[in-house]
Structure formats: C-alpha cells, structure tokens
Amino acid sequence: MNMQNLRETYPTLIAYLDERGYNCEYIARLKREIEHVFVIAENGGCDSYDEIYRSYAETTGSKQALRSHLTFLGIIECFDLR
C-alpha cells in the first residue's frame, strides 16, 4: 500500500480541520487513525483500504467501536484517494 500521498498531505487536512474549529479530540482521533494506517501499511499487513476495513471488522469487538474506526478510515481514504 503506497502511503506517500497521505504522508505528504495529511498535515493539510489537520490544519484545515483546526482552522475550521473542529474539536481537538476529533482531530487527535483522526491523527491516531492515520498513524495506525501508516503502521499497517509499513508492516505489509494490508494492501488496500478495503483490507484495513476487513481487519477492523475481524478484530474490533463492539459495533460502536467498529463504526468509529470505519468512520475515520473513510475520511482518511477519501482524503488520500480523492
């Protein structure tokens, strides 16, 4: 999974959210999810966002936690790919 674009551009996303007054906890959670995506990509555990989605579904115990992970992962994927 190539993370070069996300590595280079995610600070722009964080700055945008901060400038627009998004909650600091929301921004911190997004940063944590981005870092988690980097770790997964570097370890070669997943080759696509779809595989990351599936790994979350297999390992996350509660539906609420899964929904939260998938929400942030969707934001990251849209920002990275579009």
Side-chain angles (χ1 to χ4, degrees):
M1 203 169 152
N2 186 351
M3 291 283 100
Q4 188 63 33
N5 180 56
L6 185 59
R7 277 192 194 286
E8 292 174 359
T9 60
Y10 89 88
T12 304
L13 173 61
I14 300 303
Y16 175 86
L17 297 175
D18 190 42
E19 290 168 4
R20 300 300 184 281
Y22 278 72
N23 182 295
C24 63
E25 294 166 8
Y26 181 90
I27 294 171
R29 176 65 194 273
L30 184 61
K31 283 182 187 179
R32 282 193 304 273
E33 288 293 336
I34 290 170
E35 291 299 324
H36 190 247
V37 168
F38 289 152
V39 168
I40 291 171
E42 288 171 1
N43 291 335
C46 296
D47 293 325
S48 68
Y49 283 102
D50 287 336
E51 288 184 19
I52 296 172
Y53 284 126
R54 284 191 293 272
S55 82
Y56 274 140
E58 293 170 358
T59 60
T60 303
S62 76
K63 289 182 180 182
Q64 183 178 2
L66 178 60
R67 188 172 341 164
S68 178
H69 281 299
L70 295 183
T71 296
F72 283 99
L73 191 56
I75 293 166
I76 295 165
E77 180 183 20
C78 284
F79 179 77
D80 182 29
L81 302 180
R82 296 181 187 130

